[in-house]
Amino acid sequence: MKYGVSSYNYRRHQINCFDAAEQAKKTGFDHIEYIDLNETEAGDMCEVARRLHTHCEALGLEIWCYTVQADFLWGSGGDLKAEIERIKAKIDIGEALGVHLMRHDASTGWPEGKEGTFDEAVERIAAACRELTAYAEQKGIRTMVENHGYYCQASERMEKIVTAVNHPNFGLLVDMGNFLCVDETPAEAVRRLIPHAFHLHCKDFHCHPADYPNPGEGYFRSQGNGYIRAAIVGHGDVNVRQCLEIAKSAGYQGRLSLEFEGMEDVETGNRIGLDNMKRFWEEAENG
């Protein structure tokens, strides 16, 4: 198994992508995955990506995945063709980065005034995902959507999307922690989706029910009004080891990445999270 980290973890450091790679290597990660480079760099993005690829190669750190924002219901002003073309340009950046995987969003829901059913949304989302993954396949990149953003976060909805796309180059990025945002039990949701998983995020949260006294700053509300706060992986209420045991038993062949967005110091969260992630996987391997 190889273990990685999301550049999202370093957002509080306000450091650029090159420095994030150095920090990741120093902590002991095997790979890094980047969030949309437009947020941190300027100029010709493919040229920036090529320089970043060279930088990471010199460090001995792989760039495994590239994540970009997308919305196939209202993105690009509701022009689906324009949104697809915009994401194709992002895939070109992913190619320059040398990534094996790309994650783009599906949608956060119908825009006001154009409400439809989820099944209607899936038809539109799946058509976009299918065209994009065919384009990415030519570049040796597999594409994914993630259980992220409430509207497309529940495991049943994710399963509907991947089934509707029905393309061997398309799968899911399964984030075990994100299921708590829609009040699902992570282990049960992972069990449902792991057959479709190209990549797996280890993330943890502290959780309290809706009738719990408001714990204050740092917490936000789940879809069912529970209280959740991001935690160091292994410190929260996600049974990370159980989720990894399910993945291992299902024959998962991908990698693991740490996503930490808690209140603790970033390097502390990354270091402890990496140690726990490794140990949990090794324990899953050893039965």
Side-chain angles (χ1 to χ4, degrees):
M1 176 57 68
K2 291 191 175 182
Y3 306 92
V5 65
S6 172
S7 67
Y8 180 71
N9 295 25
Y10 299 100
R11 71 201 184 285
R12 283 185 282 156
H13 278 192
Q14 297 182 332
I15 59 177
N16 64 36
C17 292
F18 296 85
D19 292 339
E22 293 181 10
Q23 289 292 329
K25 182 64 178 180
K26 182 179 178 181
T27 303
F29 292 103
D30 299 309
H31 69 257
I32 190 168
E33 51 191 71
Y34 282 106
I35 308 297
D36 202 328
L37 295 184
N38 280 332
E39 297 180 3
T40 54
E41 298 289 349
D44 182 337
M45 296 311 303
C46 283
E47 177 55 31
V48 171
R50 283 188 285 269
R51 288 195 291 111
L52 185 56
H53 175 67
T54 300
H55 180 72
C56 288
E57 273 195 328
L59 290 172
L61 183 75
E62 288 187 84
I63 306 176
W64 192 247
C65 181
Y66 184 40
T67 290
V68 298
Q69 295 179 339
D71 198 302
F72 302 123
L73 297 184
W74 58 263
S76 297
D79 184 334
L80 183 59
K81 183 177 179 180
E83 184 71 349
I84 290 171
E85 292 304 312
R86 188 181 71 82
I87 303 306
K88 285 181 179 178
K90 300 291 188 180
I91 293 171
D92 294 342
I93 295 172
E95 181 184 28
L97 282 170
V99 300
H100 300 270
L101 297 171
M102 278 194 66
R103 189 224 87 178
H104 57 71
D105 295 314
S107 182
T108 56
W110 290 99
E112 188 175 350
K114 295 185 179 181
E115 289 82 1
T117 66
F118 186 73
D119 285 343
E120 289 170 335
V122 167
E123 183 177 350
R124 182 177 168 107
I125 290 166
C129 292
R130 200 176 301 114
E131 181 173 343
L132 287 168
T133 205
Y135 180 78
E137 188 174 26
Q138 302 170 35
K139 300 173 181 291
I141 298 171
R142 295 191 294 171
T143 62
M144 313 171 290
V145 292
E146 180 183 352
N147 51 310
H148 169 80
Y150 291 101
Y151 189 70
C152 295
Q153 203 153 358
S155 62
E156 184 178 356
R157 290 192 166 194
M158 294 297 293
E159 188 175 47
K160 283 186 176 182
I161 291 172
V162 72
T163 300
V165 176
N166 190 29
H167 194 291
N169 199 58
F170 179 82
L172 300 179
L173 193 168
V174 176
D175 185 309
M176 62 182 67
N178 280 353
F179 294 112
L180 289 172
C181 299
V182 288
D183 305 287
E184 282 195 276
T185 301
E188 293 177 4
V190 169
R191 194 183 306 279
R192 177 196 290 268
L193 296 183
I194 201 65
H196 307 291
F198 286 174
H199 194 36
L200 190 57
H201 273 180
C202 291
K203 186 191 289 183
D204 208 346
F205 285 100
H206 300 291
C207 305
H208 299 295
D211 59 357
Y212 191 85
N214 187 338
E217 184 178 352
Y219 280 81
F220 64 98
R221 306 302 287 265
S222 71
Q223 197 168 57
N225 282 321
Y227 293 98
I228 56 179
R229 176 170 74 82
I232 292 174
V233 165
H235 285 194
D237 294 303
V238 175
N239 192 332
V240 177
R241 176 177 165 174
Q242 183 184 17
C243 290
L244 294 182
E245 287 173 344
I246 291 167
K248 176 64 180 176
S249 296
Y252 175 68
Q253 297 295 310
R255 297 188 179 195
L256 301 178
S257 281
L258 182 77
E259 198 167 75
F260 169 67
E261 53 189 29
M263 299 174 69
E264 297 87 349
D265 172 74
V266 174
E267 288 306 323
T268 299
N270 284 347
R271 176 181 56 79
I272 296 173
L274 175 59
D275 288 346
N276 285 338
M277 182 168 62
K278 282 183 174 181
R279 177 165 45 82
F280 292 151
W281 182 260
E282 289 167 2
E283 290 171 353
E285 283 189 313
N286 295 327

